[in-house]
Amino acid sequence: MTLIRRTRARAVETLGLDSPDNRNALSAALVGELAGALADCAEDDEVRAVVLTHTGNTFSAGADLRDPPRPDALVGLLRQIVELPRPVVARVTGHVRAGGLGLLAACDIAAASHQATFAFTEVRIGVAPAVISLPLLPRTDPRALARHYLTGERFDAAEAVRTGLVTAVGDDVDAVLEPVLDGLRRSCPQALAETKRLLTARVLEAFDRDAAGLTALSARLFSSAQAREGMTAFLERRDPGWVV
């Protein structure tokens, strides 16, 4: 069963996360399939830009706790989005949690509907937003990120725009994206690739400097006793033992 729905219109390839039964959680299988689809787009000269979107009411719920991807595989996927020689545009009409926010931050442009909600829920299950910090920290407001990282509270699309996580928001996300995609279609492919290279240089510096350490941190936390309690409590729909 395919987990990525692929369509193309006027040189824009749309990749839809299509695993609504688990809220498009980042399983090992989904991460691998998305990486393959992105690789195809990178090699296809007919693709001017990529839209990353979703089926169902959730863009992504974050890591699949039953079939999590390896931390280095997630690092590779995020870097692949950042390095792709085509602009990648996120289209969000639902909820985004934890690792899903890493996908969002790796994209060059992100548009969301007013119905979208966001939360860094890692701290509530005993881990940290480690690997996804690679694209997030260079691109978002540090004071706002501190609050959302540390509390795990939910925030709306307007706050996501204010923090730099989302580019634009509207009632009709496709109407928001129409001038964006028109602009990309009118742009020279060579110029788009080199301009993206300029824009992502600082993000890639973070990958080069911090990826190994954050991958090790993620692996250590996910194997800890507190994380086991947090993930078990989440799956059992109860509060973990540390809640006071």
Side-chain angles (χ1 to χ4, degrees), residues 87-100:
V88 182
V89 180
R91 176 189 176 277
V92 179
T93 61
H95 311 302
V96 194
R97 300 290 185 266

Side-chain angles (χ1 to χ4, degrees), residues 106-131:
C107 293
D108 303 290
I109 298 169
S113 69
H114 285 299
Q115 289 72 42
T117 67
F118 309 81
F120 295 97
T121 52
E122 289 89 345
V123 290
R124 299 196 178 188
I125 63 167
V127 296
V131 166

Side-chain angles (χ1 to χ4, degrees), residues 60-149:
S60 177
D64 186 339
L65 299 184
R66 300 183 188 276
D67 179 30
R70 299 188 323 273
D72 61 314
L74 183 55
V75 169
L77 177 64
L78 296 177
R79 181 160 194 151
Q80 187 179 13
I81 294 171
V82 173
E83 286 189 318
L84 201 79
R86 317 275 186 262
V88 182
V89 180
R91 176 189 176 277
V92 179
T93 61
H95 311 302
V96 194
R97 300 290 185 266
L101 290 156
L103 289 184
L104 205 61
C107 293
D108 303 290
I109 298 169
S113 69
H114 285 299
Q115 289 72 42
T117 67
F118 309 81
F120 295 97
T121 52
E122 289 89 345
V123 290
R124 299 196 178 188
I125 63 167
V127 296
V131 166
I132 64 172
S133 288
L134 292 166
L136 275 159
L137 291 177
R139 285 180 158 169
T140 52
D141 177 76
R143 297 300 289 174
L145 205 58
R147 172 177 176 171
H148 297 307
Y149 265 25

Side-chain angles (χ1 to χ4, degrees), residues 98-236:
L101 290 156
L103 289 184
L104 205 61
C107 293
D108 303 290
I109 298 169
S113 69
H114 285 299
Q115 289 72 42
T117 67
F118 309 81
F120 295 97
T121 52
E122 289 89 345
V123 290
R124 299 196 178 188
I125 63 167
V127 296
V131 166
I132 64 172
S133 288
L134 292 166
L136 275 159
L137 291 177
R139 285 180 158 169
T140 52
D141 177 76
R143 297 300 289 174
L145 205 58
R147 172 177 176 171
H148 297 307
Y149 265 25
L150 291 169
T151 67
E153 63 190 303
R154 187 173 64 183
F155 56 99
D156 62 15
E159 172 69 359
V161 171
R162 189 188 72 78
T163 63
L165 180 64
V166 167
T167 310
V169 62
D171 290 326
D172 183 346
V173 72
D174 293 313
V176 172
L177 283 177
E178 185 175 353
V180 173
L181 298 180
D182 181 64
L184 296 176
R185 289 183 173 109
R186 292 174 180 274
S187 300
C188 167
Q190 171 183 273
L192 284 175
E194 293 302 324
T195 301
K196 176 166 177 173
R197 195 187 304 273
L198 292 173
L199 291 167
T200 57
R202 193 160 64 95
V203 181
L204 290 173
E205 287 175 3
F207 275 84
D208 292 338
R209 183 184 63 243
D210 300 326
L214 291 175
T215 299
L217 173 62
S218 180
R220 177 171 63 81
L221 289 175
F222 267 92
S223 65
S224 69
Q226 289 189 16
R228 286 194 296 275
E229 162 62 8
M231 288 185 280
T232 300
F234 175 81
L235 294 171
E236 294 178 351

